[in-house]
Amino acid sequence: FPSHDNELKILNYQSFVERLESDLLKTNELEVPGALALIKIDDFIEQESLFEGNPYPKIIASIKELIESELPPIYLFGRLNDKLFGVFFFNASSKDTFLWAEKLRVKIARFPIEVNLKQTTYTVSIGVTSTSGSTKVENVLNNAELALNKALEKGDNTIKSIN
């Protein structure tokens, strides 16, 4: 099976989960912190025009590039589904990851993406969780999803952290 998302050339869900499992073991063996951020592109109205067609791939690719531009030296980055990215931070606390997520959230919200000859901004919601002491990928993903769902309940363009 391919390990990368064909559209964005980053890890796909299955590869991300496999590598996350490996990284969780490393963080526990080395007794260093870790944190997982789930980044969801907030819903937007997809406007198709006769000229450009579906703007969705361009929006996704632009947001992926913005995330990549903010990544620290040691990270794991993947696309978990259509509008959801995962970033695992090796040797980073959930507090530091929350601060990173806040910086990213603001950067994305302020960055205009040209769609159908119009500059439009998009937002993301982010869930952050500590992975310290956890070796089960399912638990870490569930905690991050819980944090993300709490952020989404607050409204678009928000971040929530669960330790």
Side-chain angles (χ1 to χ4, degrees), residues 80-142:
L80 306 187
N81 70 31
D82 237 19
K83 293 183 181 178
L84 185 68
F85 296 97
V87 182
F88 173 71
F89 295 87
F90 189 83
N91 199 18
S93 68
S94 57
K95 183 181 176 196
D96 289 342
T97 302
F98 184 91
L99 295 173
W100 173 88
E102 181 60 27
K103 182 179 169 190
L104 177 70
R105 181 192 66 76
V106 170
K107 182 176 185 172
I108 290 172
R110 289 183 179 160
F111 186 83
I113 299 169
E114 189 177 306
V115 175
N116 299 336
L117 304 174
K118 282 190 281 207
Q119 297 283 327
T120 310
T121 56
Y122 296 89
T123 59
V124 294
S125 294
I126 305 173
V128 174
T129 189
S130 168
T131 64
S132 298
S134 185
T135 54
K136 294 219 180 297
V137 171
E138 299 80 30
N139 294 352
V140 170
L141 282 171
N142 286 342

Side-chain angles (χ1 to χ4, degrees), residues 23-39:
D23 282 359
L24 289 176
L25 291 171
K26 289 176 199 164
T27 57
N28 282 306
E29 278 298 309
L30 297 170
E31 296 179 3
V32 296
L36 177 66
L38 292 183
I39 305 161

Side-chain angles (χ1 to χ4, degrees), residues 4 6 8 12 22 29 41 43 45 52 54 56 60 68 70 74 82 88-89 126 129-130 147-148 152 156-157 162:
H4 285 76
N6 286 334
L8 299 178
N12 62 22
S22 168
E29 278 298 309
I41 301 172
D43 291 334
I45 298 163
E52 252 190 278
N54 185 357
Y56 184 69
I60 297 291
E68 278 183 327
E70 292 297 322
I74 302 175
D82 237 19
F88 173 71
F89 295 87
I126 305 173
T129 189
S130 168
L148 178 59
L152 291 168
D156 289 351
N157 202 21
I162 293 179

